[in-house]
Amino acid sequence: MKRLLSCEFNFDTVCVELKFSDGTMIAIDTIAVENEVADNMYQRSELDYLIYNDPVAYADLILNGNPEAYLKAVTEYKSLD
């Protein structure tokens, strides 16, 4: 892969799409990611925030980071029990 040309959230496909200068494209299915790594509404909300406000950071987290560790570090979940 070459240089990143664009990264944006596509509302029609519900994917974060990355396009590179060599013509390759990566589409990250955000629903599948949420179903796999988010355990509660707070973690889903954090992922949604990144998707809409910083899709490059979201893509970097999913492709190069550890989303489970990130979500545990940035969200605080308190049971109502």
Side-chain angles (χ1 to χ4, degrees):
M1 285 184 275
K2 298 284 182 181
R3 189 172 48 98
L4 180 65
L5 295 177
S6 69
C7 178
E8 59 188 23
F9 177 67
N10 184 330
F11 287 98
D12 295 329
T13 62
V14 195
C15 292
V16 170
E17 298 176 343
L18 297 92
K19 296 178 184 172
F20 296 90
S21 61
D22 65 352
T24 59
M25 183 175 144
I26 296 174
I28 302 170
D29 184 345
T30 59
I31 293 173
V33 169
E34 282 189 3
N35 289 339
E36 189 67 30
V37 301
D39 295 330
N40 56 58
M41 68 179 189
Y42 304 106
Q43 292 179 345
R44 289 179 183 269
S45 177
E46 179 64 27
L47 289 175
D48 289 344
Y49 176 83
L50 287 175
I51 290 166
Y52 297 122
N53 296 296
D54 195 356
V56 173
Y58 176 83
D60 184 49
L61 175 67
I62 301 306
L63 297 174
N64 302 318
N66 184 346
E68 292 92 352
Y70 169 79
L71 290 173
K72 287 180 183 177
V74 298
T75 59
E76 183 177 329
Y77 174 67
K78 293 183 181 177
S79 177
L80 295 176
D81 296 341

